[in-house]
Amino acid sequence: MISHTKNFRNNLKTHLKKYQKILTIALKNDHNEANTVTIVKDIFADIGGYDKYSEITSEYEIKNKYCDIAVKLNDTLNFLIEVKAIGNSLKKSHMEQARNYAANEGCEWVVLTNGIDWRVYHLDFGKAIADELVLQFNMLEFSIDREDDVNKIFASSKSGIEKKSLHVAYQNSLLVNKHMISALLVTEPVLKHLKKWLGDLKKLNTGPKQKHSISHELIQRIIEREVIKEAIKDTSEFATAKKRWSSLHKKKQK
């Protein structure tokens, strides 16, 4: 679990409303990408705690191309930031561009933002480069009173990087997501409990007694066809989640 520090929370409380006002005005005035980059750099400096001159680099060169911002600590590239103009909606194509930059540098973290919407991705350099959305938040809807909001922005802060909070967030995202929860619904232990609970409910039936039995197959068929959305069930992420559960379960049984 990500856990922010007291100092970070106090610092965020000092600067959050100021930047929410700045972003609101920038959106109203339809600031361009260059102006948005300036605001994002200031957010990482004032809220994130980075040194604006030694740890945040603008126009980071990667094979004769330039990523908007790079963040380095102790000469180690921690993540790249791809910034779009504040009035632009973030698109998948934007992440593809940033992913190519990161792949060339062997950087496993990418932040995609337009100043208001923030998305933090983890890159997996396997046979094919894959990216996974780990954290997402809206700066204008951000609340200091919601612990989850504070922890999300803390993860990419200087203190968060030093505490490896992004890696913690990534591990959490592998387990707590719609694909994993959907996959767990059709595992043997869950089906077993559902069958028992449905059997208990069946005993409470005051009408005619039901003669047909409740099978695992019937419960699984209902879950897969009627409970889990097709948009989830027919994805590689759902299949991967099932394999991950199976692997973890086997380890537990040893």
Side-chain angles (χ1 to χ4, degrees):
M1 179 179 179
I2 307 171
S3 181
H4 61 270
T5 63
K6 185 177 180 180
N7 286 341
F8 175 81
R9 187 186 187 90
N10 290 338
N11 187 56
L12 178 62
K13 190 173 182 180
T14 300
H15 292 100
L16 180 60
K17 288 186 178 180
K18 178 183 75 174
Y19 278 105
Q20 286 178 328
K21 183 177 180 179
I22 289 172
L23 290 168
T24 299
I25 294 172
L27 180 61
K28 182 179 179 181
N29 294 333
D30 196 23
H31 278 198
N32 60 25
E33 186 173 304
N35 288 340
T36 308
V37 168
T38 298
I39 296 172
V40 170
K41 285 181 62 180
D42 288 344
I43 288 174
F44 270 93
D46 290 340
I47 294 180
Y50 294 98
D51 185 281
K52 192 173 181 178
Y53 303 102
S54 64
E55 295 171 339
I56 302 175
T57 304
S58 297
E59 292 295 306
Y60 185 77
E61 185 176 0
I62 303 171
K63 292 189 175 181
N64 298 321
K65 295 184 178 180
Y66 294 88
C67 186
D68 295 314
I69 304 172
V71 174
K72 284 185 170 184
L73 288 178
N74 301 319
D75 292 325
T76 298
L77 179 62
N78 292 101
F79 52 88
L80 297 176
I81 307 169
E82 182 70 12
V83 182
K84 296 303 171 186
I86 196 164
N88 290 1
S89 298
L90 300 181
K91 300 178 182 179
K92 186 176 181 180
S93 59
H94 298 153
M95 181 53 205
E96 291 172 354
Q97 180 182 6
R99 183 175 60 198
N100 291 335
Y101 290 146
N104 285 324
E105 289 292 288
C107 180
E108 61 181 326
W109 292 101
V110 170
V111 177
L112 177 62
T113 183
N114 58 11
I116 295 175
D117 292 320
W118 294 71
R119 300 175 187 177
V120 182
Y121 292 86
H122 177 268
L123 301 190
D124 182 11
F125 301 105
K127 292 182 179 179
I129 301 172
D131 57 75
E132 181 163 352
L133 180 62
V134 176
L135 296 171
Q136 183 174 6
F137 58 89
N138 183 301
M139 190 66 84
L140 295 184
E141 297 173 357
F142 197 94
S143 174
I144 193 79
D145 296 322
R146 289 194 292 266
E147 292 294 304
D148 189 52
D149 281 3
V150 179
N151 286 334
K152 282 180 179 179
I153 198 169
F154 172 74
S156 58
S157 70
K158 185 175 180 178
S159 297
I161 292 296
E162 292 171 344
K163 292 184 67 174
K164 300 188 182 303
S165 293
L166 278 180
H167 292 279
V168 174
Y170 174 56
Q171 292 301 319
N172 287 345
S173 74
L174 293 178
L175 295 177
V176 186
N177 59 67
K178 61 185 178 183
H179 303 289
M180 178 60 78
I181 292 173
S182 298
L184 288 174
L185 287 176
V186 292
T187 58
E188 188 66 21
V190 174
L191 292 173
K192 181 179 179 180
H193 282 293
L194 286 174
K195 180 180 179 181
K196 180 183 182 303
W197 294 332
L198 290 170
D200 291 340
L201 290 174
K202 184 179 175 182
K203 294 175 184 178
L204 298 176
N205 186 13
T206 57
K209 296 300 179 181
Q210 303 175 42
K211 294 183 179 180
H212 67 277
S213 61
I214 303 172
S215 67
H216 284 193
E217 292 75 16
L218 173 62
I219 299 170
Q220 183 172 347
R221 189 161 60 248
I222 291 172
I223 291 173
E224 290 188 339
R225 292 182 180 179
E226 302 179 38
V227 177
I228 302 173
K229 292 182 178 179
E230 292 296 322
I232 295 175
K233 186 168 69 68
D234 295 335
T235 61
S236 59
E237 290 89 349
F238 179 73
T240 300
K242 290 181 72 174
K243 289 180 182 178
R244 186 172 289 129
W245 151 255
S246 179
S247 177
L248 291 172
H249 186 63
K250 287 178 181 178
K251 288 182 180 179
K252 185 178 179 181
Q253 297 303 312
K254 290 181 180 180

